[in-house]
Amino acid sequence: MRIGAVLNEQPLDELIASAKRLEAAGLSDIWMPNIFGFDAISILGHLGRETETIGLGTAVTPTYPRHPTAIAQQALTTASVSNNRFTLGIGLSHKVVIENLLGMSYDKPARHMREYLEVLMPLVRGETVDYEGEQYRVHGLALDVPGVERMPVVVAALGPAMLKVTGELADGTSTWMVGPKTMANH
């Protein structure tokens, strides 16, 4: 069984100390949410340089504010500097955040995630993207980040449409803050 922990906002030195303690205690993974403080992907890159074995992942980084090519490059960099211990966890966020705080449309969220993953997944596999969708148009782009063997991508998904997209395109799902009753119902 794998047991991990969630690290929340703390000063960087405290995050590093916490990560080292969790690794020494034998935990398998550290997960960080990406809310309105530190950029979780960047912080996990720092933690990856300060630890040796513990897995690292975001739970989760919102997709809407970041183009899939940008998040792919940032995540692959973190995977490289952490010796392939990084898992990218992504999600839609919430309508109130995306529309009210950021001024973006939250229309057709499952469609957004499908297009996002159709651009993101080839990039994280080292493939060239040639994609023409409603929201994203990416042609002839490939990323070459040295030292990356494979970087898993998981999606925060619970509803049928999101689980279908996730099952078809990603490596798994993240059930952040979900209890047994909700899991049983989904």
Side-chain angles (χ1 to χ4, degrees), residues 99-111:
E99 289 192 345
N100 297 357
L101 294 177
L102 300 178
M104 302 171 82
S105 172
Y106 199 78
D107 186 42
K108 300 178 185 173
R111 174 97 168 128

Side-chain angles (χ1 to χ4, degrees), residues 65-111:
R66 297 179 191 215
H67 195 281
T69 61
I71 203 170
Q73 187 176 34
Q74 184 183 19
L76 288 168
T77 299
T78 297
S80 178
V81 302
S82 68
N83 295 315
N84 295 295
R85 292 182 285 133
F86 181 68
T87 297
L88 175 62
I90 59 173
L92 298 168
S93 187
H94 305 279
K95 185 174 183 175
V96 67
V97 173
I98 301 308
E99 289 192 345
N100 297 357
L101 294 177
L102 300 178
M104 302 171 82
S105 172
Y106 199 78
D107 186 42
K108 300 178 185 173
R111 174 97 168 128

Side-chain angles (χ1 to χ4, degrees), residues 12-122:
L12 180 58
D13 289 341
E14 291 177 30
L15 286 168
I16 291 169
S18 294
K20 288 180 177 182
R21 278 193 306 275
L22 293 169
E23 183 174 59
L27 272 72
S28 59
D29 297 283
I30 293 170
W31 296 92
M32 284 194 74
N34 194 96
I35 305 177
F36 295 111
F38 279 131
D39 173 74
I41 299 171
S42 298
I43 289 296
L44 290 166
H46 285 286
L47 299 184
R49 299 297 291 173
E50 297 286 339
T51 59
E52 296 178 14
T53 59
I54 197 163
L56 309 160
T58 54
V60 297
T61 302
T63 56
Y64 280 97
R66 297 179 191 215
H67 195 281
T69 61
I71 203 170
Q73 187 176 34
Q74 184 183 19
L76 288 168
T77 299
T78 297
S80 178
V81 302
S82 68
N83 295 315
N84 295 295
R85 292 182 285 133
F86 181 68
T87 297
L88 175 62
I90 59 173
L92 298 168
S93 187
H94 305 279
K95 185 174 183 175
V96 67
V97 173
I98 301 308
E99 289 192 345
N100 297 357
L101 294 177
L102 300 178
M104 302 171 82
S105 172
Y106 199 78
D107 186 42
K108 300 178 185 173
R111 174 97 168 128
H112 162 83
M113 185 57 74
R114 175 172 294 283
E115 286 198 21
Y116 201 92
L117 288 168
E118 287 177 342
V119 174
L120 176 68
M121 295 307 291

